[in-house]
Amino acid sequence: MLNRFSRREFAKLFGSAALAPTILPALSTERALAQNGTIAPPAQQLFPNGFLWGSATASYQVEGAVKADGRGVSIWDTFSHTPGKTNNGDTGDVADDHYHRYKEDIQLMKAMGLQTYRFSVAWSRIFPNGTGMPNPKGIDFYSRVVDELLANKIQPYCTLFHWDLPQALEDKGGWQSRETSEAFANYAGYVAQHLSDRVTHFMTLNEMRSFVDIGYRDGRHAPGLKLPPAKVNQVRHHAVLAHGLGVQAIRAHAKSGIKVGLAENAEACSPIIETPEHIEAARKAMREENAGYLTAVLEGKYTEQYLAHHGANAPKFTDADMKAIGSPIDFVGLNNYTTTWVRADADAKGYAIISAPESYPHMMSSWLRVGPQGLYWAPKFIAEIWGVKEIYITENGASSTDVLTTDGHVYDSDRIMYLRSYLTQLHRGVSEGVPVKGYFCWSFMDNFEWADGYAYRFGLHYVDFKTQKRTPKMSAHFYKEVIARNGLA
Ligand code: GBH
């Protein structure tokens, strides 16, 4: 806070101006304001040149048009149409109607200065039955989106799977069957073949941890199953296997020079106190708590602790599976919303996870506990433990009880506070050399928030779902400033 005080105010508060920093950022800010009418950030808050600023969405959450142009049914169509599964019975039938309004949306992206946009492809638009004959109108839609983005100087980042599995595959066992992993690779290769002349970055799966644990173990997301541990572990194995086979298929079918990664919501472990013992504990936790997903992908093996912990319920796998799972990737995408606080512990693991007290602050979604330090520690640990050299924050954002005023504003001060504090931690890492190359805010606009329906808004743009009118929230103005100055605003 010191940089907010003038020397005189400093002296008043602290009894002397002697300790006040000689060049006060607050004064230089005022000078900059006077000079060019805009507030420049203190130099230390700038990101490196070329840092990419983006925003993200996912097919089922924004597209709507679920019957258009030969799209097949996905498990989210089925699930959301099953009574009692989503808040208010909401479905993605119309969502943001982005399928028809993508040009208008891309103009809004351009208006806020977005440099990159992460979207996902709906598998059932490409292969309505999951496998078999591709539907040319499906790939055509994404091809037009990519062209429109490029025409507006926005780099497309493409996710192959953001949870909308073709229902036809679920009917044959879905992720319980390894055939789904193979079908995914086939589909990923096809999309890469058609888009890689214009898309440079592909992500295989979005958040394996979420769709496996919540969809197949807890039953709160599609397909709504509550499988026993051994089966959940096998589903998890098929997810990482799909990622690995997908990486291979993308490389085999894409133009050379493209980059492949994934977008995982790894547990972002942070030390509760930044002392060597707690930092060491958090580093161990980072590896073990992600053993079923990111660790398996980056090491091509399950940790001993993971296999021992699951015992007879551990997944069944072959060496060839593990080799595929560990296929080299070019970057790691991290979706980050919360942090997992870790402390050192005397037990065999050497660490303990601290469960949140009831008073812990959260955003509108009760799971969304505020923990900006995860954006510092998670990428740092990933770079240190596995030598990863290219990391993106593929999602970060917050739900808020946004209210549109009668004169058309949304003053989402809580979202701005959230974003600013997370970006401050990200900046801390980047300025120490943690190789985060870009950041995608979730989400570009309010959308279908899965089981929570439309009531939980994550957008930088407010969407009136009756009229489809988009309104930039105050946070969109904030983010636009961040992008324009390549630093915190
Ligand atoms: C991401 O998930 C998703 O990638 C994105 O699609 C989503 O819109 C966004 O975040 C915001 O949620 O109902 O108690 O079981 C973030 C991780 C996993 C957090 C699912 C919420 C459900 C909590 N999410 N989880 S609960």
Side-chain angles (χ1 to χ4, degrees):
M1 286 315 285
L2 281 188
N3 62 12
R4 301 278 174 240
F5 301 138
S6 68
R7 285 178 77 82
R8 219 173 51 184
E9 287 166 328
F10 189 94
K12 222 164 108 191
L13 278 164
F14 299 98
S16 153
L19 289 175
T22 37
I23 300 171
L24 286 165
L27 293 183
S28 49
T29 298
E30 280 156 23
R31 235 172 266 140
L33 179 63
Q35 275 164 15
N36 51 24
T38 172
I39 299 180
Q44 70 272 17
Q45 290 179 302
L46 292 177
F47 282 72
N49 283 340
F51 190 87
L52 269 186
W53 295 102
S55 185
T57 65
S59 47
Y60 189 70
Q61 296 183 271
V62 298
E63 286 176 2
V66 291
K67 302 222 163 94
D69 297 331
R71 175 186 180 276
V73 175
S74 86
I75 58 172
W76 270 96
D77 297 303
T78 311
F79 187 77
S80 66
H81 279 272
T82 307
K85 297 300 186 191
T86 66
N87 184 18
N88 197 37
D90 290 346
T91 75
D93 286 1
V94 179
D96 294 302
D97 195 31
H98 177 70
Y99 191 81
H100 298 115
R101 296 169 194 263
Y102 71 93
K103 286 191 176 170
E104 171 197 332
D105 288 336
I106 290 171
Q107 285 314 304
L108 290 171
M109 293 175 199
K110 187 180 177 185
M112 71 187 300
L114 280 195
Q115 298 161 345
T116 175
Y117 169 62
R118 172 178 174 245
F119 65 94
S120 83
V121 174
W123 186 343
S124 71
R125 288 196 193 278
I126 311 296
F127 290 97
N129 294 311
T131 54
M133 286 295 287
N135 164 30
K137 288 188 174 162
I139 196 72
D140 184 57
F141 169 64
Y142 298 102
S143 193
R144 282 182 282 124
V145 168
V146 164
D147 285 343
E148 189 72 14
L149 288 166
L150 291 172
N152 287 282
K153 300 198 164 46
I154 299 168
Q155 287 187 42
Y157 272 50
C158 175
T159 308
L160 277 313
F161 179 75
H162 200 125
W163 307 354
D164 40 1
L165 184 73
Q167 181 64 42
L169 292 180
E170 184 59 34
D171 295 343
K172 294 191 278 180
W175 291 108
Q176 294 188 72
S177 161
R178 70 179 288 134
E179 281 173 32
T180 295
S181 315
E182 286 153 13
F184 172 75
N186 176 61
Y187 149 72
Y190 178 86
V191 174
Q193 184 186 341
H194 286 81
L195 299 184
S196 62
D197 55 335
R198 290 155 291 157
V199 174
T200 56
H201 286 68
F202 289 91
M203 285 144 284
T204 53
L205 306 179
N206 180 74
E207 297 193 359
M208 295 182 278
R209 186 158 76 93
S210 298
F211 79 79
V212 173
D213 292 356
I214 305 172
Y216 289 82
R217 181 191 68 193
D218 306 339
R220 284 195 302 273
H221 278 189
L225 300 179
K226 291 185 181 168
L227 299 175
K231 290 194 169 179
V232 173
N233 290 336
Q234 203 60 35
V235 166
R236 190 174 291 150
H237 178 68
H238 293 150
V240 286
L241 180 62
H243 157 80
L245 296 175
V247 169
Q248 296 180 349
I250 292 168
R251 293 212 201 280
H253 294 277
K255 281 195 122 179
S256 60
I258 56 107
K259 294 192 174 184
V260 190
L262 76 178
E264 183 58 9
N265 63 326
E267 292 264 4
C269 299
S270 299
I272 187 65
I273 308 171
E274 295 191 0
T275 55
E277 52 162 345
H278 294 301
I279 292 172
E280 208 31 52
R283 189 192 315 273
K284 279 188 194 138
M286 189 73 202
R287 181 165 175 267
E288 288 301 343
E289 294 300 306
N290 293 301
Y293 301 111
L294 191 62
T295 304
V297 163
L298 293 174
E299 298 187 9
K301 66 177 169 76
Y302 294 120
T303 67
E304 279 166 31
Q305 195 176 297
Y306 180 78
L307 292 174
H309 172 78
H310 290 286
N313 292 326
K316 310 273 176 286
F317 58 87
T318 63
D319 287 350
D321 286 358
M322 297 318 294
K323 199 156 181 263
I325 291 165
S327 298
I329 53 177
D330 303 300
F331 67 90
V332 167
L334 276 183
N335 291 3
N336 179 265
Y337 293 85
T338 59
T339 195
T340 301
W341 291 110
V342 177
R343 63 175 172 81
D345 192 80
D347 83 350
K349 285 197 301 187
Y351 69 85
I353 305 287
I354 302 178
S355 53
E358 239 186 279
S359 55
Y360 198 101
H362 61 80
M363 302 302 290
M364 184 183 176
S365 313
S366 54
W367 59 266
L368 216 174
R369 300 200 178 98
V370 180
Q373 284 76 3
L375 269 197
Y376 172 71
W377 288 104
K380 183 179 164 74
F381 284 149
I382 286 171
E384 286 176 1
I385 300 172
W386 294 293
V388 174
K389 301 217 160 36
E390 185 169 340
I391 299 173
Y392 294 91
I393 304 307
T394 35
E395 285 181 29
N396 172 244
S399 51
S400 159
T401 52
D402 298 318
V403 175
L404 183 66
T405 62
T406 46
D407 58 347
H409 295 283
V410 178
Y411 296 113
D412 51 343
S413 51
D414 53 348
R415 182 175 290 106
I416 294 174
M417 177 178 69
Y418 175 101
L419 293 175
R420 184 185 282 120
S421 51
Y422 278 65
L423 286 173
T424 299
Q425 291 294 324
L426 181 64
H427 180 268
R428 180 184 169 205
V430 166
S431 58
E432 284 177 16
V434 178
V436 178
K437 307 295 182 191
Y439 170 93
F440 295 79
C441 189
W442 183 272
S443 177
F444 170 68
M445 58 186 160
D446 296 336
N447 58 48
F448 176 73
E449 177 54 14
W450 307 113
D452 287 337
Y454 293 100
Y456 288 71
R457 296 171 176 273
F458 276 83
L460 294 167
H461 289 81
Y462 185 92
V463 177
D464 178 332
F465 291 102
K466 288 201 184 77
T467 62
Q468 291 296 344
K469 183 172 172 6
R470 283 85 159 117
T471 304
K473 300 178 191 176
M474 198 72 182
S475 55
H477 297 294
F478 164 75
Y479 194 46
K480 182 178 178 172
E481 292 296 327
V482 169
I483 297 171
R485 66 188 68 191
N486 196 27
L488 279 159

